[in-house]
Amino acid sequence: EAGVAQSPRYKIIEKRQSVAFWCNPISGHATLYWYQQILGQGPKLLIQFQNNGVVDDSQLPKDRFSAERLKGVDSTLKIQPAKLEDSAVYLCASSLVRTVGTLSYEQYFGPGTRLTVT
Amino acid sequence: GEDVEQSLFLSVREGDSSVINCTYTDSSSTYLYWYKQEPGAGLQLLTYIFSNMDMKQDQRLTVLLNKKDKHLSLRIADTQTGDSAIYFCAEGGSQGNLIFGKGTKLSVKP
């Protein structure tokens, strides 16, 4: 079974430029997550999709970050314009269903995209 | 609010046991998780424990949960150099997301 795919693996941009990341979840996984992992910290959720609908985007800086999940499969995360503090690894994860209450399904993580903003 | 705390570093000798500790704040979390992250790689789920359990054992891994103190620990028996990585404790958030600690970097010396 193929894992979660992400591209690019690395990206270097200057501040105020735009950047986009792509994620292809595991086939059949309804739920998709984008996490931001700043160096030395744990991942922090940015946005969560259930199929192509947004479940939680409360931590997404909506003035500069946007995300979409077309047709409930692939997803893109965009930053426009980028700031120095956006330098981080952006992790995509997917799971069969959303973890709610007594239900829990493993989240499978991709390798991440390392973004450096100079 | 939701918060997960863990010590940042742990160093052990090969063959010893490693114990990584974590405290969390959300008593309503149904599941608690341990993830492993190797350099340049994504996160890998090691094990998880349901909140009504005190202990879970999976080969070399033992998870202990003290729900009263909101304390979770991961014990790795017979630690090997291949166990060197960053270990993250995580609790399940109310919306189904994961809330991670900052990670504990485990160094295993030969």
Side-chain angles (χ1 to χ4, degrees):
Chain A
E1 178 182 81
V4 176
Q6 290 189 246
S7 68
R9 291 295 310 275
Y10 305 92
K11 189 75 178 178
I12 301 173
I13 62 172
E14 294 182 352
K15 59 184 179 183
R16 291 188 288 274
Q17 285 187 322
S18 302
V19 65
F21 313 127
W22 174 82
C23 173
N24 180 232
I26 292 173
S27 178
H29 281 195
T31 308
L32 186 146
Y33 311 79
W34 282 103
Y35 290 85
Q36 180 193 56
Q37 185 178 16
I38 293 173
L39 185 65
Q41 297 186 20
K44 182 187 81 171
L45 181 73
L46 291 175
I47 189 167
Q48 178 182 341
F49 292 94
Q50 178 79 7
N51 296 309
N52 60 352
V54 175
V55 172
D56 182 5
D57 63 357
S58 58
Q59 305 254 35
L60 188 73
K62 298 181 187 63
D63 58 334
R64 298 183 301 105
F65 286 65
S66 64
E68 60 182 4
R69 190 180 184 195
L70 300 174
K71 300 179 183 176
V73 182
D74 293 4
S75 176
T76 55
L77 176 70
K78 296 179 182 177
I79 307 175
Q80 180 181 4
K83 292 185 176 182
L84 295 176
E85 59 260 37
D86 298 332
S87 293
V89 176
Y90 290 85
L91 294 164
C92 180
S94 69
S95 66
L96 277 171
V97 294
R98 180 160 64 110
T99 302
V100 176
T102 59
L103 295 176
S104 177
Y105 292 90
E106 179 176 353
Q107 291 187 26
Y108 293 82
F109 283 81
T113 297
R114 182 177 296 277
L115 173 68
T116 302
V117 183
T118 62
Chain B
E2 300 162 325
D3 199 10
V4 178
E5 300 278 347
Q6 46 183 133
S7 52
L8 296 181
F9 301 99
L10 177 65
S11 180
V12 301
R13 292 210 173 272
E14 194 172 20
D16 288 349
S17 292
S18 307
V19 179
I20 302 171
N21 294 299
C22 166
T23 58
Y24 61 97
T25 56
D26 188 355
S27 58
S28 66
S29 292
T30 305
Y31 287 90
L32 295 144
Y33 306 83
W34 284 103
Y35 278 81
K36 178 182 180 182
Q37 187 174 42
E38 294 179 275
L43 289 157
Q44 173 197 359
L45 179 65
L46 281 179
T47 186
Y48 64 89
I49 188 167
F50 190 46
S51 59
N52 70 352
M53 296 170 65
D54 298 325
M55 185 182 83
K56 181 179 179 182
Q57 188 150 1
D58 184 1
Q59 298 182 332
R60 293 192 297 123
L61 306 177
T62 303
V63 179
L64 295 177
L65 174 61
N66 181 329
K67 199 171 180 182
K68 174 176 169 288
D69 294 338
K70 297 179 187 171
H71 182 267
L72 184 72
S73 68
L74 173 69
R75 178 177 181 268
I76 305 172
D78 187 25
T79 312
Q80 302 297 306
T81 54
D83 295 323
S84 294
I86 300 176
Y87 291 81
F88 290 93
C89 171
E91 61 177 342
S94 58
Q95 294 297 322
N97 58 302
L98 293 173
I99 298 158
F100 289 88
K102 291 187 176 182
T104 299
K105 184 174 182 178
L106 175 64
S107 298
V108 183
K109 298 179 179 176

